[in-house]
């Protein structure tokens, strides 16, 4: 690995510089003045900060990284490694050998400057805020410190899209939760290739999140960082800071591609959020123009999926904002338990649940509250999300051990089980959740809910979508139900529908008497952003946007004053001063325009409204005489039906034009002759009579039309009544059939419950059997992947819970010269069991049986490998062999002529040892003495053995025994042969040839 020394004349600290502008040929950030910014998206002179996290084996990764770093990278680097708390660190000196950049160990509060490397000191946590590094005492969680997670989280909040994190070699899962925060805030995530890491625990845990943007060896990471942040192919300005109208059409194309490939519509999400995610993908692909990126999306469906995943980034922690969950546990949970009978389930919905931490946190609060009260409640927590991968993670209930920083120790021990470097949620909590994919925008909501916890979802939605979602929540909640929002969210325009319970932590209560848009309200149709949008509104409700509709209509075609009324002639919107035309009396207010109309206007207005409603054509009345305060005004009236949007069909515009005071009436100074005033009075009466006749004629026509409609409706009702009677009879029949089916279902359900109970009991028995047996067993599927294993199997094969699902060939065993995968493949192909003996590296003897896994239906679904420790048997066999060998040597060197063993009660010869040349062993084996011949010596020998068998001890005789070539005089001694139980099972006879000795 090449080493680079720092120039001795180089200043120890580089200064912050101005960012590279478009067209600059120089690498960004030449020397300048130090700058610290609170908001990364706005600060001039802002530079990227890269956090590097490592543990065991991290030094080699750091050296490979910095040896390939340019001399002026234009960013700062913060190294966070697990260090020995009791010894000073020499990591800065080691890193300095590989880079020309200054390497500093953080001492107190340290402003971050560009082109500088900072190293965490031992026994500290490191945080960054407003561009300043702060040291904090470590927060221990069960004796472990998660310094990398702490720093990455603070870096994400401080630098947003100018943050990057790199996960390098190390054990455990530190950094996994922190990288999620980096990704959520638009930063870059890079993970070392596990194969290149000395210890792959941390990289592997990071990869399992599915959020790594690049997976590279350390030597290639610096080039990617420089290209991502500074290559001129990337956008020179954030898209959110450019002219939005210039890319509205391109965004619509992106939304259309997402709808086609992913099935979800992001058109009403906050535009800046969408633009930041798009810009991030453009920077990774080195695409400068949004139009070019759209072409890339059209040509590459995989990029659409990558963008979709980026848009779904959601980070959820256990008890996020602990004080908020404390408020929930104090002000909401007890109320839910007290207001519900034990038989009535508590229903909770957590939309946008991500990987489930928020839903599990609420379940833990409920479980603790129930235990405190000593009562049980049925609980249904619906956790939903549109991200199928997040849903799968939530269902697994398996979390990295770094959650110990978020979950207090007592809760961690009570509700989680350790599994290697992870924790799994206990079954008592998991059973409270129903986890399923669901879109809060597109799919129907749950109903009759007692609590909705929707934290940090609304912040991504546009105003119209927020209004719809809050209306939907209001519909879904029970009266007096609760709504729990994130700290950055409010109820907005729907505030009147919710009562504030805790303003700081955003806990609200449902108001049953509140009026909101109905839940089937759909957001505006997504059209070209360059054109005006049509807002779809429900009937009988002005809804949001009426002001915009009104003003747009007036600006295009009319001038004020005007009204908008619905089909019942209720005033829905007023523009301008209507005091001349409408009279608002004291007392109870009626907003029907016919009741508010002033004298001289009511008859014509009523007639016009009914005619326009009937014909659908606009109608105009001119020079109507309207009295106000004794003064008569001439007024033009125009009634026009609303034709769009379709949801407002039946509504009408009322437009008024004041022509001024009627000449000769009050308000004029010149007196008129009495005759002329009489003529004018007569003309006025005639005009009113005409209006009255017209009004009566309209009323008569409407009455006749109504009568015809009523007759038609009556006939339809009679026909409907007959149909309903017939349908009622059919329903009665169906009810009887349903009752019968229901009884059958109850029976079947009882049988299933019994089977489930038996299955649970059998499963418990199996778990205990596997845990207690000394026989190591590994179950493999048809692909020879580990499905299950007993604890004893870990003594012979290196297995951990995380190996479930891994191929057997990837596992390391401590068997001498035996490849388990080869035997498993052979058995799976031939279905012939294999058994062999072998030794482990510790010289233990094993008997290994490899058999096909057969179901009760005799279907082969894998292989079973069993390990039986036969070390003790092998030792006994060796001891027996040594004993026999010693016995053989002893007999060979003794003066014994014949040694005989009869090991059954029939006294047949089963074992003979003889050094006598005249004695042939084959002549005696398997025979009794009386079967060899009828010589008296043989009869005496048999009698001697029978006496010994009956309990006589120490018998000796001199007996003449026949041989094929003559006689042999022997001194015979006999002793009983005992079983290990103490029972006599035979006789041992020793005969010594004394033929040549004097008797």
């Amino acid at each position: 690995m090449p080493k680079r020394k720092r120039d001795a004349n180089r200043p120890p600290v580089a200064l912050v510089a101005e960012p590279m502008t478009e067209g600059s040929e120089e690498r960004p950030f030449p020397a300048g003045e130090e700058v610290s910014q609170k908001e990364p998206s706005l600060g001039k002179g802002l530079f990227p900060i890269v956090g590097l996290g490592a543990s065991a084996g991290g030094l080699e990764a750091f050296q490979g990284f910095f040896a390939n770093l340019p001399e002026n990278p234009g960013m700062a680097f913060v190294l966070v490694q697990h260090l020995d708390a009791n010894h000073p660190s020499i990591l800065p000196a080691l890193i300095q050998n590989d880079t020309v950049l200054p390497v500093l160990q953080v001492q107190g509060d340290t402003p971050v400057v560009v082109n500088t490397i900072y190293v965490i000191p031992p026994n500290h946590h490191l945080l960054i805020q407003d561009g300043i590094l702060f040291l904090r005492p470590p927060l221990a969680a069960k004796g472990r410190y998660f310094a990398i997670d702490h720093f990455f989280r603070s870096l994400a909040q401080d630098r947003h899209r100018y943050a990057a994190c790199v996960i390098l070699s190390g054990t455990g899962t530190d950094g996994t939760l922190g990288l999620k925060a980096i990704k959520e805030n638009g930063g870059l995530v890079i993970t070392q290739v596990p194969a290149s890491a000395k210890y792959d625990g941390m990289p592997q845990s990071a990869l399992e999140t599915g959020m790594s943007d690049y997976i590279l060896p350390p030597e290639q990471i610096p080039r990617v960082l420089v290209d991502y942040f500074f290559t001129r192919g990337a956008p020179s300005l954030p898209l959110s800071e450019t002219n939005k109208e210039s890319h509205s059409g391109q965004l619509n194309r992106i939304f259309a591609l997402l709808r086609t490939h992913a099935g979800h519509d992001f058109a009403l999400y906050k535009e800046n959020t969408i633009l930041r995610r798009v810009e991030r993908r453009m920077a990774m692909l080195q695409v400068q123009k949004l139009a070019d990126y759209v072409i890339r999306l059209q040509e590459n469906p995989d990029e659409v999926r990558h963008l979709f995943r980026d848009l779904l980034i959601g980070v959820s922690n256990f008890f996020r904002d602990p004080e908020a969950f404390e408020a929930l546990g104090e002000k909401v949970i007890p109320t839910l338990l007290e207001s519900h009978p034990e038989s009535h389930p508590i229903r909770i919905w957590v939309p946008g649940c991500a990987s489930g931490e928020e839903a599990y946190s609420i379940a833990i609060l409920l479980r603790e509250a129930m235990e405190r009260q000593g009562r049980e409640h049925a609980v249904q927590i619906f956790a939903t999300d549109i991200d199928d991968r997040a849903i799968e993670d939530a269902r697994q209930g398996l979390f990295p051990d770094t959650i110990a920083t978020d979950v207090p120790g007592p809760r961690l021990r009570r509700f989680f089980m350790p599994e290697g470097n992870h924790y799994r949620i206990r079954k008592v909590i998991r059973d409270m959740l129903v986890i399923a994919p669901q879109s809060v925008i597109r799919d129907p909501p749950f109903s009759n809910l007692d609590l909705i916890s929707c934290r940090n979802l609304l912040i991504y939605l546009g105003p119209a979508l927020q209004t719809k979602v809050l209306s939907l929540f209001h519909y879904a909640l029970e009266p007096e139900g609760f709504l729990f929002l994130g700290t950055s969210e409010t109820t907005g325009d729907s505030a009147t529908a919710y009562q504030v319970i805790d303003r700081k932590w955003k806990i609200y209560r449902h108001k049953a008497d509140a009026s909101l848009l109905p839940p089937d309200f759909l957001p505006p149709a997504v059209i070209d952003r360059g054109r005006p949008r049509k807002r779809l509104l429900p009937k009988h409700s002005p809804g949001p946007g009426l002001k915009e509709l009104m003003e747009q209509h007036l600006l295009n075609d009319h001038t004020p004053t005007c009204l908008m009324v619905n089909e019942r002639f209720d005033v829905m919107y007023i523009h301008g001063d209507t005091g001349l035309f409408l009279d608002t009396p004291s007392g109870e207010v009626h907003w029907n325009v016919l009741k508010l109309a002033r004298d001289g206007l009511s008859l014509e207005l009523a007639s016009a409204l009914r005619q326009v409603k009937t014909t659908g054509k606009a109608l105009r009345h001119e020079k109507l005489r309207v009295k106000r305060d004794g003064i008569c005004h001439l007024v033009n009236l125009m009634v026009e039906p609303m034709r769009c949007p379709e949801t407002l069909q039946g509504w009408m515009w009322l437009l008024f034009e004041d022509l001024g005071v009627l000449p000769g009436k009050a308000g004029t100074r010149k007196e008129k002759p009495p005759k002329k005033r009489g003529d004018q009075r007569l003309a006025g009466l005639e005009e009113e009579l005409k209006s009255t006749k017209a009004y009566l004629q309209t009323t008569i026509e409407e009455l006749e039309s109504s009568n015809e409609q009523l007759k038609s409706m009556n006939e339809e009702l009679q026909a409907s009544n007959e149909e309903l009677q017939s349908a009622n009879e059919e329903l009665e029949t169906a009810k009887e059939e349903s009752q019968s089916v229901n009884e059958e279902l109850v029976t079947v359900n009882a049988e299933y419950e019994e089977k489930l109970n038996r299955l649970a009991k059998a499963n418990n028995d199996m778990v205990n059997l596997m845990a207690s047996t000394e026989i190591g067993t590994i179950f493999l599927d048809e692909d020879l992947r580990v499905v299950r294993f007993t604890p004893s199997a870990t003594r012979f094969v290196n297995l951990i819970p995380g190996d479930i699902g891994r191929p057997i060939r990837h596992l390391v065993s401590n068997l001498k010269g035996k490849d388990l995968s080869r035997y498993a493949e052979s058995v799976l192909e031939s279905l012939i069991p294999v058994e062999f003996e072998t030794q482990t590296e510790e010289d233990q003897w094993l008997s290994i049986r490899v058999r096909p896994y057969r179901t009760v239906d005799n279907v082969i679904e894998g292989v079973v490998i069993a390990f039986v420790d036969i070390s003790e048997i092998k030792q006994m066999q060796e001891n027996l062999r040594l004993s026999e060998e010693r016995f053989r040597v002893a007999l060979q060197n003794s003066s014994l002529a014949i040694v005989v063993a009869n090991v059954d009660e029939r006294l047949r010869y089963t074992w003979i040892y003889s050094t006598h040349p005249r004695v042939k062993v084959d002549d005696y084996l398997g025979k009794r003495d009386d079967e060899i011949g009828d010589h008296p010596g043989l009869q005496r020998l048999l009698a001697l053995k029978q006496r010994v068998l009956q309990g006589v001890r120490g018998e000796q005789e001199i007996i003449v025994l026949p041989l094929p070539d003559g006689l042999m005089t022997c001194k015979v001694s006999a002793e009983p042969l005992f079983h290990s139980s103490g029972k006599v099972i035979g006789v041992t006879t020793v005969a010594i040839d004394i033929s040549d000795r004097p008797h």
Side-chain angles (χ1 to χ4, degrees), residues 12-17 29 32-37 45-51 74-79 102 104-119 126-135 151 154-155 158-159 162-163:
V13 177
L15 298 178
V16 177
F29 304 116
E33 62 179 0
E34 183 177 328
V35 177
S36 175
Q37 298 292 339
L46 192 69
F47 58 88
I49 297 179
V50 181
M75 58 192 86
F77 304 90
V78 181
L79 277 59
L104 307 175
Q105 189 173 77
V106 179
Q107 303 288 340
D109 300 346
T110 305
V112 179
V113 293
V114 75
N115 294 332
T116 307
I117 302 169
Y118 300 89
V119 181
L126 192 62
L127 302 176
I128 184 170
Q129 184 176 358
D130 298 335
I132 300 175
L133 293 172
F134 298 91
L135 292 177
F151 178 72
S154 66
L155 179 62
D158 190 68
R159 233 53 179 181
Y162 292 99

Side-chain angles (χ1 to χ4, degrees), residues 536-730:
L536 304 181
L537 299 175
K539 292 186 178 182
H540 313 303
S541 173
L546 292 181
K547 182 176 182 293
E548 291 83 357
L549 285 173
M550 184 77 167
E551 292 176 351
Q552 185 66 38
H553 182 80
L554 294 175
L555 290 174
N556 291 340
D557 303 303
H558 302 282
T559 57
T561 300
C562 66
L563 305 175
M564 181 188 290
V565 299
N566 62 15
E567 64 271 23
R568 296 190 302 272
F569 310 146
D570 294 327
V571 177
M572 306 307 295
Y573 191 84
I574 299 175
H575 184 85
D577 183 8
T578 59
L580 174 61
F581 318 106
L582 304 181
D583 180 21
T584 305
S586 60
E588 184 179 356
V589 178
H590 297 279
W591 287 103
N592 190 285
V593 71
L594 298 181
K595 296 180 180 180
L596 299 176
R598 290 187 179 275
D599 291 342
L601 182 63
S602 57
L603 292 178
E604 288 78 1
L605 179 59
S607 175
L609 286 173
R610 289 185 171 87
Q611 288 187 46
V612 171
K613 182 178 179 181
T614 303
T615 62
K617 297 179 181 180
L619 185 63
R620 182 180 180 88
H621 288 285
E622 296 184 350
K623 297 182 179 180
L624 300 178
R625 301 183 182 189
V626 179
K627 290 183 180 180
R628 179 184 181 184
D629 299 330
I631 300 175
C632 189
H633 291 255
L634 292 179
V635 174
N636 289 342
L637 168 66
M638 182 173 180
V639 181
E640 178 182 348
M642 291 189 65
R643 305 192 185 278
C644 65
E646 294 181 359
T647 51
L648 297 185
Q649 292 294 328
W651 291 29
M652 289 170 278
W653 299 102
L654 275 64
L655 294 100
F656 301 94
E657 182 181 3
D658 183 10
L659 301 179
V661 178
L662 180 66
K665 289 293 180 181
T668 63
R669 297 193 177 189
K670 188 176 181 179
E671 290 291 337
K672 296 290 182 179
K675 183 178 180 181
K676 289 187 177 181
R677 287 201 302 269
D679 293 340
Q680 290 176 354
R681 175 63 178 167
L682 181 60
L685 291 174
E686 289 176 351
E687 188 171 343
E688 288 180 6
L689 180 59
K690 290 180 181 179
S691 298
T692 303
K693 288 182 177 179
Y695 176 75
L696 289 175
Q697 183 62 33
T698 302
T699 303
I700 292 171
E701 292 174 356
E702 289 179 356
L703 181 59
E704 291 176 350
S705 176
S706 298
N707 287 334
E708 293 176 356
Q709 292 177 1
L710 287 174
K711 290 180 181 179
S712 176
M713 289 177 61
N714 185 50
E715 294 173 356
E716 292 176 359
L717 287 174
Q718 289 179 351
S720 297
N721 185 49
E722 295 175 357
E723 293 175 358
L724 288 173
Q725 288 179 350
S726 176
N728 186 52
E729 294 174 356
E730 294 175 357

Side-chain angles (χ1 to χ4, degrees), residues 20 24-30 70 72-74 223 226-227 230-231:
M20 181 179 68
S24 173
E25 298 296 334
E26 193 69 34
R27 182 63 65 188
F29 304 116
N72 183 22
R223 181 74 263 167
V226 174
D227 288 346
F230 303 120
T231 296

